[in-house]
Amino acid sequence: MATSVRRDRLTLPAAPLGPENPLPGLCAPGGVHELDERTKEGLPRDMKRQIGNAPLRTTLPVRTRDGYGRERADTGFDAIVIENDRLRATVLPGLGGRIHSLHHKSTGRELVYRNPVLQPAGFALNGAWFSGGIEWNIGATGHTALTCAPLHAAVVPAPDGGEMVRLWEWERLRDLPFQIDLWLPADSDFLYAGVRVRNPHERPAPVYWWSNTAVPEDEHTRVLAPADEAWRFGYEHTLARVPVPRSDGADRTYPTRSADPADYFYEIPGEARKWIVSLDASGTGLVQTSTDRLRGRKLFVWGTGADGRRWQEWLTEPGTGGYAEIQAGLARTQLEHVPLEPGADVSWLEAYGPLSADPAPVHGDDWAAARAEAERALGEALPRAAVEAAYTAWLAHADQEPGEILHTGSGWGALEVLRGGHELPGTPFPESTVGEQQRPWLELLRSGVFPAPREAAPPGPSLVAPHWRDMLETAPAEPLTEYHLGVAQWHAGDLAQAVRSWERGLRRAASRWPLLRNLALADCEAEHCERAADLYAEAFADLRGERRDGEQWTAATAALGREAIDALLAVGRTAEARTVWEGLDAGTRATGRFRLIEARLLVAEGDRQAARAVFEAGFEVADLREGSAEVREVWATVTDGPLPGASGARQPS
């Protein structure tokens, strides 16, 4: 059959994503990908330089997504199906362009781990993330902030005369447009992905890219790559060079032979072909290869320990098979960011498809022979020269203007194009996509004035790039303008000026709580804890007085209440924390996150028996961050006994 592209609808048991958190994320993202400073001293110079290249101060201007839950219901999602007589790829354009399924028709095999549910969890840079398939990670170290966001998608002429699907968006953490072109040549066993990231600005930009493929895992699964060494990174936050395949007494190329979660970044020689493959007991599986610009390869394992198993179950449902991740990136490790010069772009081609190799050598003890057999099989299935030729052919089509629109992304790219007058052939960002969140900023651009809201509502998203900060500085100093200006100044590292802007805005603000909250958080960061508690209590009281009905107000009240209770408990003001708790609506208090907060509050009040009863009644904290031990830590303040199964057995902490 000829290659076809069609719209479809995919139904999955899914937990709702819920609203975005309306409070700006002023704190630097931290967590499992932080590197111990002592480790950096022994690293290669280029790696050390790229690890230190523009780490994120915040996740602004992107908003946090922490409003999801764990109650799943059948939900329909927009899908795009690319199909020939050998492969069928199902793409989810509304969820970061994730390839949900890559089905090999002749064998009936699913080449990737296809998650049977869509369960958000706190793994992305801005919160909500889900597992499975092939995801495209752009932005900064970690899972992209676009994980659960819509991308633009359209049909574009393919190099072989057929059709391909273009996905594109404006990545906002680094302020960069990008595109992914997916096509499946007729009679091909391989799905191609042509990727381009552009820097339209007059300043260098740090670029991060890792393509992440979840693959089914069992005791016989082996992951091979052309390397004899790897950089191991684990939750202890160290980066250590280890031999491949065996280190610490075990063959780590078998994912189930590691006890703990870990990353293995392979040290691939510069001249070697770039590939990584996951093979089962019979020697069959999925291979990913690319042009040489995508130099990095990685294996991520959850490990066989209780925590890793719980996290896997947390992301899907009990009884579902495990998975590992094979990844490909621009640098050797995911801790690095590659510089992209002003006006430049970076591009490459990836290929995904089935591989069948002789199981005897690929599962043998001779690592060189195992690698050689995998590379031989890849050379027969898809020669290196064929990938290079496909890349050259694709480049000639990368600027082709899209035809039929299949899906619409955000309006942020349109706003940036209107501001900067950028010429971006092949990836249009039309003004028609400008929506409610972008319109105030478009008015600022055209009139020099940030408009006052037409009705009472939590402030919309702030923009923080230098050009928007400059416009805010010259706009009339209205309270909402000062609010957004302070957020942009905070993001730029000018903390004192941010505080001054918020204090100026507060003098004339009818809606005081957004400014009070930001000032409270600034005091928390400066360790002025008592003053921060005062401001949080005042902010929550002001919000309660202003609040209207609606999802935005409920989300704002929950987010501010959570921060206020934390700040008040930190300075021992338990009665005031209880007042905030009682000011939350019943639906918010019933969520798992706030049941955990209730247990903390009861402990602070000295009622450990009641706190224990909260645990024994059972709850699930949907928005736990990766590697979190919050549930255990709170339980440890209640008793030194084992965590109750009603809550603990379902918590991955």
Side-chain angles (χ1 to χ4, degrees):
M1 63 178 287
T3 300
S4 66
V5 173
R6 69 178 190 274
R7 287 189 178 97
D8 204 351
R9 194 75 174 161
L10 178 70
T11 299
L12 290 172
L17 282 169
E20 295 178 326
N21 188 325
L23 306 184
L26 301 178
C27 296
V32 298
H33 295 107
E34 293 176 340
L35 185 62
D36 187 292
E37 286 296 322
R38 293 167 296 180
T39 299
K40 295 180 183 178
E41 298 307 314
L43 299 179
R45 185 175 301 175
D46 64 329
M47 184 185 290
K48 184 178 178 181
R49 182 173 61 250
Q50 291 183 164
I51 288 174
N53 183 13
L56 291 182
R57 290 193 183 95
T58 72
T59 53
L60 293 165
V62 177
R63 282 184 154 183
T64 301
R65 300 212 68 145
D66 57 4
Y68 52 88
R70 291 192 58 81
E71 294 294 325
R72 296 193 287 265
D74 285 349
T75 307
F77 296 94
D78 290 337
I80 300 169
V81 177
I82 311 168
E83 185 171 15
N84 67 6
D85 60 348
R86 301 187 184 186
L87 282 180
R88 181 171 61 249
T90 302
V91 184
L92 302 178
L95 294 167
R98 181 78 59 101
I99 297 180
H100 173 72
S101 167
L102 189 59
H103 180 77
H104 189 226
K105 292 183 175 182
S106 64
T107 61
R109 290 173 47 236
E110 184 60 55
L111 298 180
V112 300
Y113 170 75
R114 183 178 59 189
N115 197 333
V117 305
L118 195 147
Q119 176 56 62
F123 282 65
L125 286 163
N126 64 328
W129 175 85
F130 63 100
S131 66
I134 304 171
E135 62 175 305
W136 317 106
N137 288 299
I138 180 174
T141 300
H143 292 284
T144 179
L146 290 165
T147 290
C148 294
L151 304 189
H152 299 281
V155 176
V156 181
D160 63 352
E163 294 179 330
M164 64 182 175
V165 172
R166 175 162 299 158
L167 305 168
W168 73 99
E169 246 302 350
W170 197 283
E171 200 287 315
R172 301 176 65 215
L173 293 179
R174 300 305 194 182
D175 218 12
L176 301 175
F178 69 97
Q179 72 187 77
I180 306 161
D181 287 354
L182 301 171
W183 87 98
L184 191 54
D187 303 321
S188 174
D189 281 314
F190 284 84
L191 175 70
Y192 290 134
V195 183
R196 177 168 62 176
V197 182
R198 296 194 265 208
N199 179 9
H201 305 296
E202 296 179 352
R203 62 184 186 277
V207 177
Y208 171 93
W209 185 282
W210 281 81
S211 302
N212 179 3
T213 305
V215 290
E217 166 203 85
D218 63 28
E219 62 180 320
H220 303 294
T221 302
R222 193 178 203 188
V223 172
L224 300 97
D228 293 314
E229 292 183 307
W231 294 91
R232 183 193 181 280
F233 182 81
Y235 284 171
E236 66 276 11
H237 305 296
T238 59
L239 196 60
R241 194 190 292 258
V242 297
V244 176
R246 298 186 67 84
S247 62
D248 295 329
D251 188 333
R252 305 300 177 181
T253 61
Y254 289 89
T256 58
R257 297 185 188 177
S258 292
D260 301 314
D263 300 324
Y264 292 91
F265 298 103
Y266 294 110
E267 185 69 50
I268 298 175
E271 71 283 357
R273 184 176 184 182
K274 306 305 185 284
W275 57 270
I276 188 167
V277 62
S278 171
L279 299 175
D280 63 17
S282 67
T284 60
L286 171 81
V287 65
Q288 188 275 354
T289 188
S290 71
T291 49
D292 287 355
R293 186 64 187 85
L294 201 67
R295 66 174 292 190
R297 293 297 184 276
K298 167 192 161 181
L299 165 64
F300 169 74
V301 298
W302 280 108
T304 57
D307 286 352
R309 294 298 100 187
R310 284 179 185 149
W311 275 112
Q312 293 228 44
E313 291 180 356
W314 189 248
L315 293 165
T316 178
E317 57 185 9
T320 303
Y323 73 94
E325 295 172 359
I326 58 174
Q327 305 188 22
L330 280 174
R332 276 180 290 188
T333 75
Q334 288 177 320
L335 305 175
E336 302 170 68
H337 299 85
V338 177
L340 184 60
E341 294 305 309
D345 64 63
V346 58
S347 63
W348 62 91
L349 184 93
E350 303 181 46
Y352 295 83
L355 193 71
S356 182
D358 184 342
V362 297
H363 287 287
D365 293 333
D366 187 333
W367 175 241
R371 280 175 38 193
E373 170 56 18
E375 190 146 15
R376 179 206 63 77
L378 174 58
E380 286 189 2
L382 186 65
R384 187 176 190 177
V387 176
E388 296 292 341
Y391 173 61
T392 301
W394 168 71
L395 281 178
H397 288 71
D399 287 348
Q400 287 269 5
E401 289 304 311
E404 179 190 1
I405 300 298
L406 301 174
H407 201 266
T408 302
S410 78
W412 296 112
L415 184 67
E416 292 300 333
V417 168
L418 289 167
R419 182 208 62 81
H422 305 302
E423 297 289 338
L424 300 169
T427 54
F429 293 94
E431 186 174 347
S432 60
T433 61
V434 169
E436 180 182 355
Q437 291 188 335
Q438 294 86 39
R439 287 192 189 102
W441 297 94
L442 184 57
E443 186 169 334
L444 172 66
L445 174 66
R446 289 177 168 166
S447 71
V449 176
F450 196 92
R454 295 176 182 173
E455 58 184 24
S462 298
L463 295 184
V464 297
H467 41 266
W468 294 107
R469 188 172 72 246
D470 291 345
M471 280 184 255
L472 290 166
E473 286 175 345
T474 57
E478 297 299 324
L480 186 56
T481 307
E482 297 284 17
Y483 166 87
H484 287 300
L485 175 58
V487 173
Q489 291 165 332
W490 181 276
H491 173 76
D494 193 349
L495 310 189
Q497 189 58 55
V499 168
R500 285 192 285 272
S501 295
W502 293 327
E503 288 174 340
R504 282 197 307 269
L506 196 59
R507 294 180 195 133
R508 295 194 295 134
S511 179
R512 295 170 54 82
W513 66 266
L515 293 152
L516 288 167
R517 178 269 179 177
N518 289 355
L519 290 167
L521 192 144
D523 275 335
C524 278
E525 291 291 294
E527 299 184 356
H528 300 312
C529 300
E530 286 287 353
R531 191 166 65 193
D534 290 339
L535 289 168
Y536 267 122
E538 185 181 354
F540 190 79
D542 187 73
L543 172 57
R544 287 277 297 157
E546 184 183 353
R547 178 180 169 175
R548 313 287 197 272
D549 292 332
E551 187 180 64
Q552 287 188 72
W553 288 103
T554 299
T557 306
L560 183 57
R562 176 175 169 178
E563 290 185 12
I565 291 171
D566 283 346
L568 290 162
L569 288 180
V571 294
R573 290 160 62 170
T574 307
E576 290 172 87
R578 173 60 70 180
T579 299
V580 172
W581 168 264
E582 291 172 350
L584 299 168
D585 63 83
T588 297
R589 292 199 302 261
T591 63
R593 165 57 62 186
F594 281 87
R595 293 287 282 165
L596 183 63
I597 290 172
E598 181 185 18
R600 287 178 55 212
L601 185 55
L602 288 164
V603 170
E605 292 170 336
D607 194 346
R608 284 180 168 77
Q609 184 174 352
R612 181 176 186 130
V614 171
F615 276 90
E616 290 173 343
F619 58 84
E620 293 181 316
V621 183
D623 64 330
L624 285 175
R625 297 294 295 184
E626 180 184 4
S628 170
E630 287 180 82
V631 176
R632 286 181 186 163
E633 289 168 357
V634 176
W635 175 251
T637 67
V638 176
T639 178
D640 57 3
L643 193 64
S647 59
R650 297 202 304 269
Q651 294 290 352
S653 63

